Amino acid sequence: MVRWRRILGGLAAALTVASMGTLVSASPASAEPDGPQKVVGGTRATQGEFPFMVRLSMGCGGALYSPTLVLTAAHCVNRTGATTSITATIGVVDLNSTSKVTRRSNYVYRAPGYNGNGKDWALIRLSSPVTGFATLPIATTTAFDSGTFTIAGWGAATEGGGQQRYLLKATVPFVSDSTCNSSSMYNGQIVATDEICAGYTAGGVDTCQGDSGGPMFRRNASNAWIQVGIVSWGDGCARPNKPGVYTQVSYFSSAIASAAASLGG
């Protein structure tokens, strides 16, 4: 089973060199050595469509929580503490674009008590603010934790594939905890309080390796984007009866806001 949906640091760097001619390295301190998660079945996003999307150099995604903070997955980083080893790329759908904005990290906050089973969120503080890009508010109640969600990322387009140059997007439907935990799907592996599932019973559309930490989002009552999930894990990519599993942001909204405040964001 491919659990996490991040590309391993060394592999991500190698793929970046091979496909884009630019080396963006990640030290062992910035990402865990083990752990799996492009958007499978997606279409190319247009420039400016999702201005809050962030690509992280360890092979993960993220979203701008504030001008100085990126919300991502805990399994994309290995500890809370100072680090300058992560590069965030912002403001483009094409990672080769000369108009991309980059920032180095200066601190990582990983969810307290994270042990690989739920609590899969983290904040990365940037060395200086980015301006001119929309941030992505997080859901603070369960009101938006159902319906149809949008997913986006630069991860693999097929299970086991490499990261993509262009940002892809797709939509996936909510899957209830009871259905996702059924014997035909994840057989009790879902942490119902911490996680939310989304995908099609038939498969075909999903996040995949390299999408970890990226947002799952939808429109709120005011038709603005709101983040309801963080790409976390799944059994392979886009397999039948194996929907994507996402951190349920609403459950952690207070903890995320508190951590953000402590980081000055």
Side-chain angles (χ1 to χ4, degrees):
M1 184 179 84
V2 177
R3 183 173 173 86
W4 306 125
R5 292 191 163 179
R6 63 167 275 259
I7 294 176
L8 302 184
L11 176 58
L15 286 168
T16 302
V17 172
S19 65
M20 294 185 283
T22 303
L23 175 60
V24 181
S25 63
S27 77
S30 68
E32 292 184 320
D34 296 312
Q37 231 202 59
K38 155 193 184 177
V39 169
V40 179
T43 58
R44 191 178 295 184
T46 59
Q47 179 62 36
E49 187 173 6
F50 308 123
F52 44 77
M53 290 295 299
V54 180
R55 183 64 181 166
L56 299 169
S57 57
M58 80 287 279
C60 282
L64 278 177
Y65 178 89
S66 76
T68 56
L69 295 174
V70 176
L71 181 61
T72 188
H75 75 263
C76 288
V77 299
N78 74 349
R79 64 175 181 268
T80 293
T83 179
T84 59
S85 63
I86 302 169
T87 298
T89 300
I90 305 145
V92 293
V93 296
D94 177 2
L95 295 178
N96 272 0
S97 172
T98 56
S99 63
K100 65 186 177 185
V101 173
T102 60
R103 290 289 189 277
R104 301 291 284 190
S105 62
N106 64 18
Y107 197 87
V108 168
Y109 182 99
R110 190 166 75 165
Y114 171 73
N115 63 5
N117 190 32
K119 299 184 177 70
D120 195 9
W121 65 270
L123 288 166
I124 296 172
R125 189 172 65 192
L126 305 177
S127 57
S128 62
V130 292
T131 58
F133 301 112
T135 56
L136 182 60
I138 62 173
T140 58
T141 73
T142 59
F144 305 107
D145 291 351
S146 61
T148 300
F149 307 118
T150 297
I151 51 176
W154 290 270
T158 57
E159 187 173 325
Q163 76 170 17
Q164 301 297 296
R165 171 178 170 177
Y166 297 98
L167 180 68
L168 297 187
K169 63 177 181 177
T171 57
V172 286
F174 169 72
V175 177
S176 70
D177 289 340
S178 58
T179 300
C180 203
N181 256 333
S182 67
S183 58
S184 63
M185 288 193 177
Y186 286 112
N187 198 29
Q189 296 180 69
I190 305 303
V191 183
T193 56
D194 290 25
E195 298 175 326
I196 182 171
C197 299
Y200 296 92
T201 301
V205 181
D206 196 8
T207 49
C208 198
Q209 288 87 11
D211 289 325
S212 276
M216 180 171 74
F217 46 100
R218 54 160 289 176
R219 298 289 187 177
N220 66 13
S222 302
N223 203 39
W225 291 120
I226 189 168
Q227 182 170 357
V228 298
I230 300 169
V231 179
S232 185
W233 63 279
D235 191 348
C237 304
R239 296 180 185 179
N241 291 310
K242 298 297 180 184
V245 184
Y246 302 80
T247 302
Q248 192 163 351
V249 169
S250 61
Y251 184 76
F252 297 104
S253 59
S254 293
I256 292 170
S258 178
S262 74
L263 295 173

